[in-house]
Amino acid sequence: MGRFTRHRLALISVLVLIVFILIGVFAPLLSPYDPYDLAAGPGGEIQFTSPPSVAFWLGTDALGRDVLSRLIFGTRVSLTIGISAALLALVIGVVLGVLAGFRGGWTDIVLSRFTDAVAAFPSLFLILTVSSFVKPSLLTTVTIIGLLSWVPTYRLMRGETLKLRHQEYVEAAGALGAGDPRIMFRHILPNAAAPIIVQTTLGVAEAILTESALSFLGLGVQQPIASWGNMLSDARTITVLQSQPWLWLPPGLAILLTVLAINFLGDGLRDTFNPREK
């Protein structure tokens, strides 16, 4: 923990992520307006594409909805998708990786060749292709990203298992009659947890970026549900980019800050768990 506290960017990143998580958790309390209702001005008129003002700090969108309220609720949606998809990829990658590394033989060959086949396609292209054949929704987005993002975790877990399975404590557990599941998940997995945690942390950032890309293209979270990605989809015209920056700048900055914070946190965890770091 001492090495982590010396990593200033990682500490700042933790604070930034805590703020975003609290915003997502308490979104109904922090949101000044309903993110799905039309925003009315002081005179009762609907504010369509209104610039930032005292009443609407980040302005309103083309449908008359408060951008700040949608940004707050989009924080909840985007973080939920990123964390859930990363956890799904973690489970798949860890289970398949420890099986391949520990069992070896045909199990390792089949799983490794299957992994190579999945990795042969660019991940975003594969996710886009699969997404175009299913009905877009929050659950579908999480499932698709998680099911197609486990390859790095699998390779890392397999390598760690190959390194650990011949350790004396693992062989001693087998000699004492421990079954394969107990050895894999009680003795090998905990000792491979450090690099897996770092990989999962970075996987959250990747999942958030992927969700943003899918939603921007209309294949992810659908309107009227707010996510950072489909908020950016409002900026697909030159007019919006040039004259209405309040529509795309807030979600763009939110994605940038979150991904940077997660990456810096991953760097801090990597340095903390690295035995070569003093």
Side-chain angles (χ1 to χ4, degrees), residues 1 4-16 264-265:
M1 183 58 70
F4 183 80
T5 56
R6 291 196 296 268
H7 201 295
R8 294 185 178 180
L9 284 177
L11 287 177
I12 295 173
S13 298
V14 170
L15 296 177
V16 171
F264 286 137
L265 174 60

Side-chain angles (χ1 to χ4, degrees), residues 102 169-184 186-187:
F102 185 78
Y169 62 87
V170 174
E171 295 180 349
L176 292 173
D180 288 352
R182 180 180 178 84
I183 295 175
M184 288 187 291
R186 184 69 179 271
H187 299 283

Side-chain angles (χ1 to χ4, degrees), residues 61-248:
D61 62 13
L63 298 179
R65 299 170 300 190
D66 180 53
V67 173
L68 176 59
S69 300
R70 292 185 61 78
L71 182 70
I72 291 173
F73 274 83
T75 302
R76 168 185 285 186
V77 173
S78 294
L79 288 181
T80 298
I81 290 176
I83 295 172
S84 300
L87 290 176
L88 178 57
L90 168 69
V91 172
I92 297 173
V94 165
V95 172
L96 295 182
V98 73
L99 280 174
F102 185 78
R103 293 288 179 83
W106 282 105
T107 302
D108 186 19
I109 293 174
V110 171
L111 290 177
S112 294
R113 297 297 78 77
F114 173 69
T115 303
D116 292 340
V118 174
F121 297 91
S123 59
L124 182 57
F125 175 79
L126 185 59
I127 291 172
L128 287 172
T129 302
V130 175
S131 298
S132 63
F133 288 100
V134 297
K135 183 179 180 180
S137 69
L138 194 150
L139 179 60
T140 300
T141 303
V142 170
T143 304
I144 291 174
I145 296 176
L147 290 178
L148 299 177
S149 304
W150 51 268
V151 172
T153 303
Y154 164 83
R155 289 176 170 169
L156 184 60
M157 189 66 218
R158 176 181 176 273
E160 290 294 314
T161 303
L162 290 173
K163 181 175 66 176
L164 295 172
R165 69 177 182 176
H166 296 302
Q167 295 293 319
E168 293 181 355
Y169 62 87
V170 174
E171 295 180 349
L176 292 173
D180 288 352
R182 180 180 178 84
I183 295 175
M184 288 187 291
F185 297 104
R186 184 69 179 271
H187 299 283
I188 292 180
L189 181 56
N191 289 282
I196 298 300
I197 291 173
V198 176
Q199 175 58 42
T200 303
T201 302
L202 300 177
V204 174
E206 185 67 25
I208 291 174
L209 288 175
T210 303
E211 179 276 325
S212 300
L214 289 175
S215 298
F216 179 80
L217 296 173
L219 298 174
V221 179
Q222 299 296 293
Q223 297 280 4
I225 299 175
S227 77
W228 293 338
N230 62 27
M231 290 183 68
L232 282 176
S233 67
D234 294 334
R236 287 183 291 184
T237 64
I238 297 298
T239 302
V240 174
L241 286 172
Q242 292 180 341
S243 61
Q244 300 168 7
W246 64 87
L247 294 180
W248 56 266

Side-chain angles (χ1 to χ4, degrees), residues 256-268:
L256 175 65
L257 288 175
T258 303
V259 172
L260 280 178
I262 292 173
N263 286 332
F264 286 137
L265 174 60
D267 290 342

